[in-house]
Amino acid sequence: METATASSSSSPASISFYDFLDRMRNPASLDLVRSIKSFIVSFSFYAPNPESDGKRVQDFFLSMETSIRDHPLWAGASDEEIDCAMEGLEKYVMTKLFSRAFACCPDDLRIDQEIAEKISMLQTFLRPEHLDIPTILRSESSWLLAEKELGKINAHKAPREKLLCIMNCCRVINNLLLNASMSEKHVLAGADDFLPVLIYVTIKANPPQLHSNLKFIQLYRRQAKLTSEAAYYFTNLVSAKSFIVDLHAKSLSIDEIEFEENMQVAKLANKVPDEDPCPTRDGEDGLRRETGVGTFTAMNFKERSNSGSPYPFMQAEARDLTVGDVERLLRLYKDVVDKYTNLCTAYRHLASSKLESGHFKGSTASCCYEQPETSVSRQREDGADI
């Protein structure tokens, strides 16, 4: 097993985690290890109940903090060292309990799906002006960086690392707003300027299982760490999610009829037709459809559409398309062009940005709170044991 010394290129959080594992492997920590493993095993005995599960985990963290402070292995340890040990404990315990604790209720899955579907429809027409974002604060190309950070939230199992994704996203937005306000001499209105941008970024990012991820952080991130800046940004994202769930025409600066028409068009565009989109033909083409042979059949077209693939026409041929596919194909084409254009603009912005020290540097997320672990590091840590 790799140690903190052997992982010198890892982040401070990773080093702290490996240090925690090393101390737990010390024979002197046997009593702590037994308590940790006993809690993990006993947790599965209870039927899933988010509220009681969260309280049980929080109580365990508090009792373990007392045990660690009093343990000989941490004799004379500073508050910072104790905090690092608790971060390691939280990550270890919640990684082991993830499959049991994350989205453990059917309602969570339903709400996640409903939010994702609504956001998918809003993505087709929502613009910054609909959220009353001032023109001088609009920077869609740079917001892509915030979208990318928020989109990582579902790739992590530890509550802290999920929270870091939110922190990084919000810090990108906050620094972009500060830079824009300084260059345009615009006085920021706090949350009145920040929250609409966060809502827009959340809609553009459409992070997977948004509801479940927020619930997981709220229940299982140590309460002592959900304070100050972290609490502010987390609360804003919770507010953004609530706004999206309840969003209707009167929530936006848009004509009510136009809103309903756009939502209906988006709903129809995302709906897969029940009938076979490719009429049966005689000869070789008909044989392909009957036998399933060929690169793109009516059946695998439906399978691709139902699988949620963003580009289900990649293997299609002209004869496979119907008139009803044209509108969706055009929408997908525009989406690809928009993303390519925005990414190019963001790249040029990154290459040319040289702001003064102490301000946002290069509009990147690297100056944010902290970057979570890479996928390779996560794989090593998910399998770590004591």
Side-chain angles (χ1 to χ4, degrees):
M1 175 60 66
E2 293 184 57
T3 64
T5 304
S7 184
S8 59
S9 62
S10 299
S11 72
S14 177
I15 294 173
S16 298
F17 181 65
Y18 288 123
D19 179 68
F20 167 78
L21 294 179
D22 285 342
R23 294 205 192 198
M24 287 294 107
R25 293 189 185 107
N26 188 309
S29 69
L30 183 59
D31 54 335
L32 295 178
V33 172
R34 284 175 176 168
S35 296
I36 294 169
K37 292 198 170 184
S38 175
F39 175 78
I40 292 172
V41 171
S42 65
F43 194 84
S44 61
F45 293 162
Y46 299 93
N49 184 311
E51 284 69 28
S52 59
D53 287 348
K55 185 178 186 306
R56 190 173 293 115
V57 169
Q58 295 294 338
D59 289 346
F60 176 70
F61 287 155
L62 289 174
S63 67
M64 284 300 299
E65 182 173 358
T66 300
S67 298
I68 288 174
R69 286 184 181 277
D70 295 338
H71 200 278
L73 283 176
W74 277 273
S78 65
D79 288 342
E80 184 179 359
E81 289 173 316
I82 297 297
D83 185 65
C84 286
M86 290 304 299
E87 293 287 25
L89 175 67
E90 180 191 279
K91 180 169 184 172
Y92 180 83
V93 170
M94 294 319 302
T95 298
K96 296 297 183 183
L97 294 179
F98 184 79
S99 59
R100 159 66 174 76
F102 183 80
C104 61
C105 299
D107 279 350
D108 293 334
L109 299 175
R110 175 183 58 80
I111 295 172
D112 283 331
Q113 183 176 355
E114 289 175 355
I115 292 174
E117 290 175 354
K118 185 170 186 178
I119 289 178
S120 293
M121 290 189 287
L122 292 170
Q123 284 178 331
T124 63
F125 66 90
L126 192 75
R127 298 291 178 265
E129 54 266 29
H130 296 147
L131 292 164
D132 296 324
I133 299 173
T135 304
I136 60 173
L137 298 182
R138 296 174 195 169
S139 181
E140 289 199 61
S141 59
S142 296
W143 290 344
L144 281 170
L145 302 169
E147 294 168 27
K148 180 181 177 181
E149 291 301 316
L150 188 57
K152 296 176 183 177
I153 192 172
N154 209 46
H156 302 281
K157 293 183 178 180
R160 177 181 181 273
E161 292 178 351
K162 289 180 180 293
L163 184 59
L164 287 181
C165 295
I166 298 174
M167 295 285 290
N168 288 344
C169 167
C170 291
R171 283 196 165 185
V172 168
I173 294 172
N174 193 52
N175 282 292
L176 287 170
L177 292 177
L178 286 173
N179 291 336
S181 67
M182 287 189 297
S183 61
E184 299 292 339
K185 296 182 179 180
H186 171 80
V187 178
L188 290 176
D192 289 340
D193 280 330
F194 177 81
L195 185 57
V197 177
L198 180 59
I199 292 170
Y200 187 77
V201 165
T202 303
I203 290 172
K204 296 296 285 185
N206 198 2
Q209 296 185 275
L210 177 60
H211 165 77
S212 291
N213 277 294
L214 291 175
K215 186 175 180 179
F216 186 76
I217 294 169
Q218 188 172 34
L219 290 174
Y220 302 115
R221 180 61 172 143
R222 285 188 297 142
Q223 294 304 302
K225 309 303 289 187
L226 265 178
T227 58
S228 188
E229 186 182 32
Y232 175 76
Y233 286 144
F234 179 76
T235 301
N236 269 274
L237 185 58
V238 171
S239 298
K241 186 210 77 170
S242 299
F243 179 89
I244 293 169
V245 169
D246 299 330
L247 186 148
H248 49 78
K250 293 182 179 179
S251 307
L252 306 170
S253 293
I254 188 173
D255 179 74
E256 188 169 353
I257 295 176
E258 181 185 354
F259 175 84
E260 295 300 337
E261 288 177 347
N262 284 328
M263 290 292 282
Q264 189 63 29
V265 169
K267 186 181 296 185
L268 293 173
N270 290 329
K271 184 178 179 181
V272 179
D274 295 330
E275 66 274 7
D276 189 340
C278 305
T280 303
R281 296 182 178 84
D282 295 332
E284 185 179 353
D285 287 346
L287 182 62
R288 284 199 187 100
R289 287 173 175 78
E290 292 171 4
T291 61
V293 176
T295 58
F296 190 88
T297 64
M299 180 58 71
N300 65 37
F301 170 77
K302 287 184 178 180
E303 289 173 351
R304 288 170 185 273
S305 299
N306 285 322
S307 68
S309 170
Y311 308 113
F313 299 97
M314 284 297 292
Q315 303 299 325
E317 297 180 10
R319 64 173 179 269
D320 296 313
L321 303 178
T322 66
V323 173
D325 295 326
V326 174
E327 182 177 1
R328 188 179 182 197
L329 190 59
L330 178 61
R331 180 170 59 83
L332 291 172
Y333 167 77
K334 291 179 178 179
D335 180 55
V336 171
V337 173
D338 283 343
K339 287 181 178 178
Y340 175 77
T341 303
N342 288 336
L343 282 170
C344 289
T345 304
Y347 179 78
R348 288 194 297 269
H349 179 74
L350 285 171
S352 61
S353 292
K354 291 183 180 179
L355 300 176
E356 295 180 3
S357 176
H359 294 151
F360 189 62
K361 297 181 180 179
S363 296
T364 68
S366 61
C367 67
C368 294
Y369 184 62
E370 186 180 329
Q371 287 295 301
E373 294 304 301
T374 63
S375 58
V376 175
S377 299
R378 287 198 305 274
Q379 290 172 8
R380 292 202 309 269
E381 293 176 2
D382 287 354
D385 211 342
I386 53 179

